[in-house]
Amino acid sequence: MSNILTSLEDSSFSCSCAKEMINGGIHGHLNDCSARNLKTSANVKGPKKDPLPKDEEDFLKAVFQVILEDGIRKGRDITQKVVDFHQPDELKTLLDLEIRDAPEDHQGLIKHMKDTVKYSVRTSHPRFFNQLFSGQNSYALAGQWLTETLNTSQYTFEVAPVFTIMENVVLHKMRDIVGYTGGDGIFCPGGSISNLYALNVARYRYMPDIKKTGLFGLPRLVVFTSKQSHYSIKKAASVLGIGTNNVVLVNCDERGKMITSDLEAQILRVKAEGAVPFFVNCTAGTTVLGAYDPLEEVANVCEKHGLWMHVDAAWGGGVMMSPKYRASRVRGVERSDSITWNPHKMMGAGQQCSAFLLKHENLLQHCHEAKAKYLFQQDKFYDVSYDTGDKSMQCGRKVDVFKLWLMWKAKGNQGFHQDMDAIFDKTRYLVEKVKAREGFKLVLDEPECSNVCFWYIPPSLRGKEDEADYKDKLHQVAPKIKERMVLSGTMLVGYQPLGNKPNFFRQVFSSPTVTEEDLDFLVDEIERLGEDL
Amino acid sequence: MSNILTSLEDSSFSCSCAKEMINGGIHGHLNDCSARNLKTSANVKGPKKDPLPKDEEDFLKAVFQVILEDGIRKGRDITQKVVDFHQPDELKTLLDLEIRDAPEDHQGLIKHMKDTVKYSVRTSHPRFFNQLFSGQNSYALAGQWLTETLNTSQYTFEVAPVFTIMENVVLHKMRDIVGYTGGDGIFCPGGSISNLYALNVARYRYMPDIKKTGLFGLPRLVVFTSKQSHYSIKKAASVLGIGTNNVVLVNCDERGKMITSDLEAQILRVKAEGAVPFFVNCTAGTTVLGAYDPLEEVANVCEKHGLWMHVDAAWGGGVMMSPKYRASRVRGVERSDSITWNPHKMMGAGQQCSAFLLKHENLLQHCHEAKAKYLFQQDKFYDVSYDTGDKSMQCGRKVDVFKLWLMWKAKGNQGFHQDMDAIFDKTRYLVEKVKAREGFKLVLDEPECSNVCFWYIPPSLRGKEDEADYKDKLHQVAPKIKERMVLSGTMLVGYQPLGNKPNFFRQVFSSPTVTEEDLDFLVDEIERLGEDL
């Protein structure tokens, strides 16, 4: 029996022809290897079976062609539509979604894949300005394909040796960029969950007994966040049993930034009511206006009142890597206790990639650990501090780090510095363009992030600002233009109201490859689609 | 301006040569298309730029070769090691993980990808029995690669038209299999989060005000789950502010199944204390022993006391698709209120793919909705009931459905029926083998799921069951064999203690491609690694 093992060890990974595989053809290689495998694997009965049969390999190659041509090349092609829109009921008839008893053949499956691409929105298109993610990075994509292929879970070094130590390296680097010394972190399935982590560990720090005894019988815990912050804070408070009524919405100034004096007034009010403030969420890049809360000022208030300071930088966190714009946007971020930062947004890493970082050590572990003996055995033969899964509120956890790491390797720090500068520079270009254009009106004269919010005022409404129904009419313009835009498929831009402001467009991009021509097109196209309204 | 749009519409997706792409070369095609694009895209200034430059395309092709050869063919190759293990500190020196200022070239990146494969655990290897996932399905993998390429978020029909309606179709189908009429569901990032959803919507159903006002001042809410259930129930209770002390652990019988009489006794005890029972978690396939709780009996208790019945079928849910084994394992499952079912486990869909299904309508929406106006605009021009994102406690949500749908199309219902029967049939084979083998002792004579738990008793310990230190010595056998196993890299199997039982192996598999030879090897190899202990 020991002979078998020796021969196995000899054959594993030692195939010298592997090195030639990338540039050369694979068939000759396979034949060589198969022969050697037959010799060395005495434990395998019968004739050697190719672990990847030819028809399966051919299928995967055909899939790769669909991905390369339909998914990537056409997906980024400016001459293609961003979306080929059909109403839901019509789309159901165009796609064959039903699952049947019998299997389908490879040809049919490839057709399904092509249809899926055809009717999906091309988020990598240069004119997709609709969401807080856009563009497509080949390195991140390559990293994610490999991650999927390796299909492991991030919980233990035992099954994810490379990815557990890689996660430590990347999270450490991200904390360095924030300005934390030491600390901890974890990748989460999205920014909302990262914000949920922030609330949960902060609560644990102030009242660790809650983990065991719950909130019953305790005085109200209260969370503070700005009126323009993301709804995930409220959702998290509801999940955590704190309740949305115990999320105090702090007023914002005209630029959408939290008013620190109001924050402090609300804290004092809540204390006077006998409730217990414990958590302040600041936003670095609000969802609609892209506002950065005044972090230094908030840090002063949090220090004074002993509150946890969290920064939701899910969207605007990329600016921490911009030499040109960082200081004016996030000064004081290093004074926070924790931060949510989504590289799948401004850094283009692909969904999902959201880091929750904190400056405190051991807190994640103590807050979440359940010490399951079937997974986190303490009698393993390696240093089990590398088994980081018990820090999580999940069990199995998808590997989200590799795509970011590979992309970062490909760009270097320099690349991200340039990208972030470029995104903010191009925003300035669009701002100036919209300012100068007749019929366009900025919501903010000087937006801070790559959100550029504006109204398009069709000729029929210009000069009628004082009429009673002006706001109502203007409110209907953006949805109507959006409808035409989607049906044309030429681009995608979002719109929404805000407070008492009627619907306006929110142009947003997170891809450094967006050009001035794309931004010119955006403005021209909105005018074309809406000038008769 | 309208001419440009017309020409764009004409050119989009109408390229007739697309159909020839899969089997033919792509270069001729590209040239043809490029020429046409130049003609039709009057809005593009300057010479046409290839949206996927040659060097980038070459890189992606090289990546695909690494994935195909290193990731897939070698990953499934029985003559390869399952893991090439190195201690964490050594692994750090073998990998070049540091991110530097300067970018790295394609050659370096390909090297990093190959190293990542080399030192990662091959979870698709036929002898990976370590986790509740294993194997590799090419269709699921292909689906996931395309999902990554299309990179969208599942929240609105607007940006995920295909995937929102596909999610509805697949969740509906899964509910049909469970036996729910109507109902609702959502894909979640893993089973722990699905279980968290269950607790949250159940709580909302009984006390909807908690969403707004929290748990403060309420009587204790109490959750029931078996002693051998997954730790995610406790983690979820802690996150939800209920507290782990309010999770009552119900006794199990010798086979690891919840004892219903104890459940009822505990419910009465809790009520007598003035606390409020609201939720019972049953397990269909416990983590260690693979036990199925008696669902009909638990349903009777839940109906009698008006409690929410949840089934954590994250692991063992696949049996619902086995014509041969379903009835004896999950009879009564359709009487539950909700279920967690992870196709990324027994159905081999790849991580992450976890469905939370419930028989109640509107509850997910009402429990989680925040009605964000920037995302879920109500003045859209399509039926906004297709914007399902506000049902989620997340905002952006990764598309987890496509890989499962494509794989299901490829297999048909028949394929899954056969797979599930095969997994359970092969488990019988291993059980009989272990029963008959000297030195091996089953923990359960008749395991119900594909978990086969057993002790290996080395010759030095045989016949010494009555000695005082027998259990202590046996407790050390599995960790020692596991160490040798990892260092040999020949296979991976997990171990753990349970209650007062010393460490035993838990063989587990979820891949229908595991053969009897693989299971023979498992037993021989454990003996080889441990016979001198």
Side-chain angles (χ1 to χ4, degrees):
Chain A
M1 188 62 86
S2 63
N3 285 344
I4 294 170
L5 191 73
T6 313
S7 65
L8 265 171
E9 284 179 326
D10 285 345
S11 72
S12 294
F13 303 108
S14 65
C15 173
S16 63
C17 45
K19 298 180 189 86
E20 281 93 59
M21 256 193 286
I22 294 173
N23 299 318
I26 58 165
H27 295 291
H29 169 83
L30 276 179
N31 293 338
D32 291 346
C33 269
S34 297
R36 185 185 310 186
N37 287 343
L38 273 174
K39 267 190 301 187
T40 54
S41 50
N43 58 309
V44 181
K45 294 169 187 166
K48 169 89 171 83
K49 194 181 150 208
D50 187 342
L52 179 62
K54 178 150 189 336
D55 64 329
E56 214 169 313
E57 181 172 348
D58 288 345
F59 170 73
L60 291 175
K61 286 178 173 171
V63 166
F64 185 66
Q65 276 305 102
V66 172
I67 288 173
L68 210 61
E69 294 307 319
D70 296 44
I72 300 179
R73 180 166 274 115
K74 274 195 189 173
R76 300 176 182 181
D77 187 344
I78 210 163
T79 68
Q80 297 286 320
K81 284 187 178 187
V82 180
V83 60
D84 179 10
F85 182 85
H86 298 270
Q87 291 288 348
D89 285 338
E90 192 191 349
L91 186 56
K92 285 181 203 168
T93 67
L94 292 169
L95 296 166
D96 171 23
L97 291 174
E98 192 192 338
I99 294 162
R100 301 186 183 79
D101 286 338
E104 295 198 19
D105 65 14
H106 287 176
Q107 196 179 357
L109 298 173
I110 294 291
K111 168 76 162 61
H112 293 314
M113 297 189 89
K114 291 177 80 87
D115 284 348
T116 298
V117 179
K118 176 170 163 57
Y119 297 113
S120 286
V121 170
R122 303 185 160 188
T123 66
S124 53
H125 194 285
R127 289 163 185 178
F128 178 78
F129 306 104
N130 205 68
Q131 242 63 41
L132 299 181
F133 60 90
S134 62
Q136 183 181 64
N137 182 280
S138 288
Y139 307 109
L141 195 52
Q144 195 52 26
W145 293 339
L146 187 65
T147 302
E148 299 299 333
T149 308
L150 296 177
N151 189 39
T152 195
S153 174
Q154 186 76 63
Y155 37 43
T156 62
F157 181 83
E158 182 175 328
V159 291
V162 177
F163 299 128
T164 46
I165 62 175
M166 186 181 282
E167 190 175 75
N168 286 344
V169 167
V170 173
L171 291 171
H172 191 285
K173 183 157 185 73
M174 292 178 82
R175 288 197 301 276
D176 282 349
I177 292 167
V178 174
Y180 294 160
T181 308
D184 205 349
I186 193 165
F187 279 96
C188 299
S192 293
I193 304 282
S194 291
N195 286 341
L196 179 73
Y197 268 78
L199 278 157
N200 199 40
V201 297
R203 180 172 73 176
Y204 179 80
R205 179 151 183 253
Y206 289 100
M207 277 161 273
D209 288 348
I210 290 173
K211 180 177 178 180
K212 288 184 180 168
T213 54
L215 294 166
F216 312 105
L218 290 180
R220 284 190 297 120
L221 301 180
V222 178
V223 172
F224 300 82
T225 191
S226 92
K227 283 187 174 163
Q228 297 194 18
S229 66
H230 191 257
Y231 68 78
S232 53
I233 299 297
K234 278 188 149 188
K235 284 208 181 189
S238 143
V239 170
L240 288 161
I242 290 171
T244 53
N245 288 357
N246 294 310
V247 178
V248 172
L249 298 181
V250 179
N251 286 323
C252 294
D253 66 17
E254 276 304 299
R255 300 182 65 190
K257 298 157 90 82
M258 184 190 278
I259 298 173
T260 325
S261 58
D262 189 51
L263 169 66
E264 187 153 23
Q266 302 276 10
I267 292 168
L268 294 172
R269 178 184 62 78
V270 164
K271 283 184 172 176
E273 290 171 3
V276 181
F278 79 106
F279 185 94
V280 176
N281 173 63
C282 321
T283 311
T286 58
T287 312
V288 176
L289 296 179
Y292 285 85
D293 285 344
L295 303 183
E296 288 279 19
E297 290 179 25
V298 176
N300 292 340
V301 174
C302 288
E303 274 177 24
K304 183 172 163 190
H305 294 276
L307 308 183
W308 184 283
M309 177 183 171
H310 176 66
V311 180
D312 177 358
W315 165 228
V319 81
M320 292 186 287
M321 301 194 73
S322 159
K324 193 166 160 188
Y325 295 93
R326 173 180 173 129
S328 59
R329 302 299 194 272
V330 293
R331 184 176 288 119
V333 66
E334 73 285 352
R335 294 175 63 191
S336 64
D337 292 286
S338 62
I339 186 167
T340 291
W341 177 7
N342 289 10
H344 73 225
K345 291 193 166 78
M346 204 178 282
M347 290 161 74
Q351 315 217 34
Q352 57 194 42
C353 193
S354 172
F356 171 64
L357 308 168
L358 64 172
K359 69 159 47 138
H360 307 272
E361 280 162 29
N362 302 320
L363 204 51
L364 268 178
Q365 179 75 24
H366 292 154
C367 178
H368 294 114
E369 69 186 359
K371 299 184 176 176
K373 287 179 180 168
Y374 78 91
L375 188 58
F376 304 112
Q377 300 92 334
Q378 297 301 299
D379 51 5
K380 288 180 180 177
F381 73 104
Y382 62 81
D383 176 356
V384 293
S385 72
Y386 286 90
D387 289 354
T388 51
D390 219 14
K391 290 183 186 178
S392 171
M393 55 177 82
Q394 301 181 259
C395 175
R397 188 159 59 88
K398 193 168 177 59
V399 174
D400 295 329
V401 70
F402 183 62
K403 58 189 165 191
L404 174 60
W405 177 83
L406 192 72
M407 176 188 194
W408 211 329
K409 278 280 200 188
K411 284 176 184 283
N413 295 321
Q414 292 167 357
F416 271 126
H417 295 167
Q418 288 160 7
D419 285 356
M420 294 305 119
D421 279 357
I423 287 170
F424 284 77
D425 283 345
K426 279 172 196 156
T427 304
R428 306 311 310 156
Y429 173 84
L430 180 61
V431 166
E432 295 309 319
K433 184 165 183 87
V434 170
K435 255 185 210 171
R437 181 86 161 217
E438 198 193 347
F440 285 76
K441 185 173 160 45
L442 285 165
V443 176
L444 288 185
D445 279 347
E446 298 298 333
E448 293 180 290
C449 200
S450 78
N451 314 42
V452 180
C453 296
F454 59 87
W455 290 279
Y456 170 69
I457 301 152
S460 69
L461 285 177
R462 290 178 202 164
K464 299 185 178 170
E465 292 79 0
D466 296 331
E467 296 186 5
D469 58 355
Y470 176 79
K471 272 195 173 183
D472 287 344
K473 284 183 173 168
L474 185 57
H475 189 63
Q476 294 170 41
V477 169
K480 191 67 201 167
I481 292 177
K482 178 66 178 266
E483 176 179 349
R484 293 175 176 182
M485 186 191 297
V486 172
L487 293 174
S488 301
T490 46
M491 67 176 183
L492 281 180
V493 187
Y495 74 86
Q496 67 286 300
L498 186 68
N500 60 359
K501 292 182 170 70
N503 278 320
F504 54 86
F505 287 107
R506 178 197 65 169
Q507 176 285 155
V508 71
F509 64 92
S510 53
S511 168
T513 60
V514 166
T515 64
E516 294 182 356
E517 285 75 17
D518 296 324
L519 299 173
D520 292 344
F521 178 83
L522 168 90
V523 174
D524 292 344
E525 183 66 358
I526 285 182
E527 186 172 79
R528 187 187 72 80
L529 293 165
E531 61 192 345
D532 67 331
L533 291 174
Chain B
M1 187 62 85
S2 64
N3 284 345
I4 294 170
L5 192 75
T6 312
S7 66
L8 265 170
E9 285 180 325
D10 285 345
S11 72
S12 295
F13 304 109
S14 66
C15 173
S16 63
C17 44
K19 298 180 188 84
E20 282 92 58
M21 259 192 286
I22 295 174
N23 300 317
I26 57 165
H27 295 291
H29 170 81
L30 276 178
N31 292 339
D32 291 350
C33 269
S34 298
R36 186 184 310 186
N37 288 342
L38 272 173
K39 265 191 301 186
T40 56
S41 50
N43 58 309
V44 181
K45 294 169 188 168
K48 170 88 171 81
K49 196 181 150 208
D50 187 342
L52 179 62
K54 180 157 189 330
D55 64 330
E56 214 170 312
E57 180 172 348
D58 287 345
F59 169 74
L60 291 175
K61 286 177 173 172
V63 165
F64 185 66
Q65 275 306 103
V66 172
I67 288 173
L68 209 61
E69 293 308 318
D70 296 43
I72 300 178
R73 181 166 273 114
K74 275 195 189 174
R76 300 176 182 181
D77 187 345
I78 209 161
T79 68
Q80 297 286 322
K81 285 187 178 187
V82 180
V83 60
D84 179 10
F85 182 85
H86 298 270
Q87 291 288 348
D89 284 340
E90 192 190 350
L91 186 56
K92 286 181 202 168
T93 67
L94 291 169
L95 295 166
D96 171 21
L97 290 175
E98 192 193 337
I99 294 161
R100 301 186 184 79
D101 286 339
E104 294 198 20
D105 63 16
H106 289 176
Q107 197 179 356
L109 297 173
I110 294 291
K111 169 79 163 58
H112 293 314
M113 297 190 89
K114 290 176 79 87
D115 284 349
T116 298
V117 179
K118 177 171 162 57
Y119 297 113
S120 287
V121 170
R122 303 185 161 189
T123 65
S124 54
H125 194 285
R127 287 160 187 181
F128 177 78
F129 306 104
N130 207 68
Q131 241 64 40
L132 299 181
F133 59 90
S134 62
Q136 184 181 62
N137 181 278
S138 287
Y139 307 109
L141 195 52
Q144 196 52 26
W145 293 340
L146 187 64
T147 302
E148 298 299 334
T149 308
L150 295 177
N151 189 40
T152 195
S153 174
Q154 187 75 63
Y155 38 44
T156 61
F157 181 83
E158 181 176 329
V159 291
V162 177
F163 300 129
T164 46
I165 63 175
M166 186 182 281
E167 190 175 74
N168 286 345
V169 166
V170 173
L171 291 171
H172 191 285
K173 183 158 185 73
M174 293 178 82
R175 288 197 302 276
D176 281 350
I177 292 167
V178 174
Y180 293 160
T181 308
D184 204 348
I186 192 165
F187 280 96
C188 299
S192 293
I193 303 282
S194 291
N195 286 340
L196 178 73
Y197 267 79
L199 279 157
N200 200 40
V201 296
R203 179 172 73 175
Y204 179 80
R205 178 148 183 255
Y206 288 101
M207 278 161 274
D209 288 348
I210 289 172
K211 179 176 179 181
K212 287 184 181 169
T213 55
L215 295 166
F216 312 104
L218 290 181
R220 283 190 298 119
L221 301 182
V222 179
V223 171
F224 301 82
T225 191
S226 93
K227 281 187 176 163
Q228 298 195 19
S229 66
H230 190 255
Y231 67 78
S232 52
I233 299 295
K234 277 188 150 188
K235 284 208 180 189
S238 144
V239 170
L240 288 162
I242 291 171
T244 54
N245 287 357
N246 294 310
V247 178
V248 173
L249 298 180
V250 179
N251 286 323
C252 294
D253 65 17
E254 276 304 298
R255 300 181 66 189
K257 299 157 90 83
M258 182 188 279
I259 299 173
T260 324
S261 58
D262 190 50
L263 170 65
E264 188 154 23
Q266 302 276 10
I267 291 168
L268 295 172
R269 177 184 61 76
V270 164
K271 282 185 175 177
E273 290 172 5
V276 181
F278 79 108
F279 185 95
V280 176
N281 174 62
C282 319
T283 311
T286 59
T287 312
V288 177
L289 296 180
Y292 285 84
D293 285 344
L295 302 185
E296 288 278 20
E297 291 179 26
V298 176
N300 292 338
V301 173
C302 288
E303 273 177 23
K304 184 173 163 191
H305 294 277
L307 308 182
W308 184 282
M309 176 183 172
H310 175 67
V311 180
D312 177 359
W315 166 229
V319 81
M320 291 186 287
M321 300 193 74
S322 160
K324 192 167 161 189
Y325 295 92
R326 172 180 174 131
S328 58
R329 301 302 192 270
V330 292
R331 185 176 287 120
V333 65
E334 73 285 353
R335 294 176 62 191
S336 64
D337 292 287
S338 62
I339 186 167
T340 291
W341 178 5
N342 289 11
H344 74 226
K345 291 192 166 80
M346 204 177 284
M347 290 161 75
Q351 314 215 36
Q352 58 195 37
C353 192
S354 172
F356 170 65
L357 307 169
L358 65 170
K359 69 160 46 137
H360 308 271
E361 281 162 28
N362 302 319
L363 205 51
L364 268 177
Q365 179 74 24
H366 292 155
C367 178
H368 295 113
E369 67 186 359
K371 299 184 178 176
K373 287 181 180 167
Y374 77 92
L375 189 58
F376 304 112
Q377 301 91 333
Q378 297 300 300
D379 51 6
K380 289 181 181 178
F381 72 103
Y382 61 82
D383 176 357
V384 294
S385 73
Y386 286 91
D387 289 355
T388 52
D390 219 14
K391 290 183 186 178
S392 171
M393 55 177 82
Q394 302 181 258
C395 175
R397 186 160 61 89
K398 192 169 177 60
V399 173
D400 295 329
V401 69
F402 183 61
K403 58 189 165 192
L404 174 60
W405 177 83
L406 192 72
M407 176 187 194
W408 212 328
K409 278 280 199 187
K411 284 178 183 284
N413 294 321
Q414 292 167 358
F416 271 126
H417 295 168
Q418 289 159 8
D419 285 355
M420 295 305 118
D421 278 357
I423 288 170
F424 283 77
D425 283 345
K426 279 171 197 159
T427 303
R428 306 312 309 158
Y429 173 84
L430 181 61
V431 166
E432 295 309 319
K433 185 167 182 85
V434 170
K435 256 184 209 170
R437 182 87 160 218
E438 198 192 348
F440 286 76
K441 186 172 160 48
L442 285 165
V443 176
L444 289 184
D445 278 346
E446 299 298 335
E448 295 180 289
C449 198
S450 76
N451 314 42
V452 181
C453 295
F454 59 88
W455 289 279
Y456 171 69
I457 301 151
S460 68
L461 285 177
R462 291 177 201 166
K464 299 184 178 170
E465 292 80 358
D466 297 333
E467 295 186 6
D469 58 356
Y470 176 78
K471 271 196 175 181
D472 287 345
K473 284 184 173 167
L474 186 57
H475 189 62
Q476 294 168 43
V477 170
K480 193 66 202 165
I481 292 177
K482 179 67 178 266
E483 176 179 350
R484 293 175 176 183
M485 185 191 299
V486 172
L487 293 174
S488 300
T490 47
M491 67 176 183
L492 281 180
V493 187
Y495 74 85
Q496 66 288 300
L498 184 70
N500 61 358
K501 294 181 169 70
N503 278 321
F504 54 86
F505 287 106
R506 179 197 64 169
Q507 177 284 154
V508 72
F509 64 91
S510 53
S511 168
T513 60
V514 166
T515 64
E516 295 182 356
E517 285 75 16
D518 296 324
L519 299 172
D520 292 344
F521 178 83
L522 168 90
V523 175
D524 292 344
E525 182 68 358
I526 285 183
E527 186 172 79
R528 187 188 71 81
L529 293 166
E531 61 193 344
D532 66 333
L533 289 174

